[in-house]
Amino acid sequence: MSENVQSIERALTLINTIVDAQRPLSIAELSQAAGLAPSTIHRIIQTLAANGYIHQDLNSKRYDIGPEIVEISRSLYLRYDLVRRVRPYLQDLVDITGETAHLAELYGTSAMYLSQLEPLSMVRMFTTPGSIAPLYCSDVGKLFLADLPPARIADIIQKTGLRPRTPHTITSPEHLDVALQVVREQGYAEDDEEREIGVRCVSAPILNGAGKVIAAIGIAGSSGRLIKERVPDLAAVVLQVAQRAATELILQPRDEAHTL
């Protein structure tokens, strides 16, 4: 085992020890509980504290979980809460369209799928929750890009590039600009076999009270079944369901961080 990996494992052990104790611990208590030398613990603790993962009370000198751990826990809770509350609307999309429904959020320079519901039909589109998709060639990704300022879009393109995934992938910034303007005008986005041949997707944004995109909800199906001629009608359904989901979230905010 490399020294770096061992240090990471020890850091995680210390964090888990404090979490399990449900109270601040001293170096001596950490040493006894984790089975590590006080000198080793002190060195690791200093790094964790400097990065906000551990906090030392100046009076007791004991260590507790820091603000970064709290923020991670809070972020995971909000994500779970969003999935739970939007799930009925995903089911509505499945019931109305007969296609697979998905929910995604912006994740750095990608889109992350949070949830998916499949129809009972034989042919389904599987997108594992937690998987990510490029912004420039996915329906959900283009929704997020269209909501960002030009400088941020340019920065993302510079970092990720516009690699062709299929013959239909947009590979130039100019063509992407045009596509994003269409998304803004029509209010929904398409993936017309741009990420995977044989798959077509349509998504609409879930907006907060300020009109900003907080998530994307949509459907995916085989291009043979979800033909181009069906897209306008299906998009109207997706838009309507997305608006209903946003209204529910606005009227019943979970907490101020998730208030829409």
Side-chain angles (χ1 to χ4, degrees):
M1 180 185 299
S2 71
E3 184 176 345
N4 287 340
V5 172
Q6 187 179 59
S7 295
I8 292 172
E9 287 193 346
R10 288 174 171 175
L12 292 174
T13 296
L14 293 179
I15 291 173
N16 288 331
T17 299
I18 295 173
V19 170
D20 291 342
Q22 298 184 23
R23 64 181 179 85
L25 298 176
S26 66
I27 291 289
E29 290 172 321
L30 282 169
S31 176
Q32 182 178 8
L36 298 173
S39 59
T40 300
I41 290 176
H42 189 271
R43 184 175 64 253
I44 297 173
I45 281 288
Q46 294 306 307
T47 300
L48 291 172
N51 288 278
Y53 293 98
I54 294 293
H55 169 74
Q56 183 184 36
D57 184 277
L58 296 180
N59 294 319
S60 68
K61 303 302 181 182
R62 293 172 181 269
Y63 293 91
D64 202 350
I65 58 172
E68 287 298 322
I69 297 294
V70 174
E71 182 60 29
I72 290 171
S73 299
R74 180 171 164 279
S75 176
L76 290 174
Y77 168 76
L78 292 177
R79 183 173 294 171
Y80 167 80
D81 189 53
L82 177 64
V83 170
R84 178 183 64 80
R85 297 171 70 191
V86 174
R87 187 179 180 86
Y89 300 99
L90 290 177
Q91 188 63 59
D92 285 348
L93 284 178
V94 172
D95 294 341
I96 295 170
T97 68
E99 304 293 350
T100 298
H102 52 251
L103 172 71
E105 71 173 0
L106 182 63
Y107 182 71
T109 58
S110 302
M112 176 185 287
Y113 291 97
L114 303 180
S115 184
Q116 175 183 276
L117 289 181
E118 302 88 25
L120 297 177
S121 61
M122 295 295 292
V123 180
R124 307 175 187 178
M125 299 293 113
F126 291 99
T127 302
T128 306
S131 62
I132 59 175
L135 297 179
Y136 66 94
C137 63
S138 62
D139 52 319
V140 293
K142 283 186 278 187
L143 286 175
F144 297 128
L145 280 179
D147 194 51
L148 297 175
R152 177 60 177 148
I153 295 173
D155 180 60
I156 290 174
I157 293 174
Q158 193 276 328
K159 290 178 179 177
T160 65
L162 298 174
R163 182 173 66 87
R165 303 287 292 262
T166 76
H168 306 289
T169 304
I170 296 173
T171 57
S172 78
E174 294 77 17
H175 289 164
L176 181 61
D177 285 342
V178 172
L180 295 182
Q181 186 55 39
V182 171
V183 171
R184 297 182 188 105
E185 292 172 357
Q186 64 188 13
Y188 65 89
E190 300 176 52
D191 172 359
D192 189 9
E193 299 186 279
E194 297 165 52
R195 188 158 64 102
E196 183 179 348
I197 289 294
V199 177
R200 184 169 285 123
C201 311
V202 182
S203 290
I206 296 178
L207 305 175
N208 65 13
K212 301 297 292 181
V213 180
I214 63 159
I217 186 172
I219 58 173
S222 69
S223 55
R225 185 176 63 245
L226 206 164
I227 59 176
K228 288 287 289 181
E229 289 74 17
R230 294 183 65 201
V231 168
D233 289 339
L234 292 173
V237 173
V238 175
L239 280 165
Q240 193 269 339
V241 172
Q243 290 164 2
R244 285 172 45 215
T247 299
E248 193 268 342
L249 293 171
I250 291 170
L251 294 178
Q252 300 179 36
R254 185 67 186 186
D255 60 34
E256 65 178 6
H258 203 69
T259 299
L260 302 185

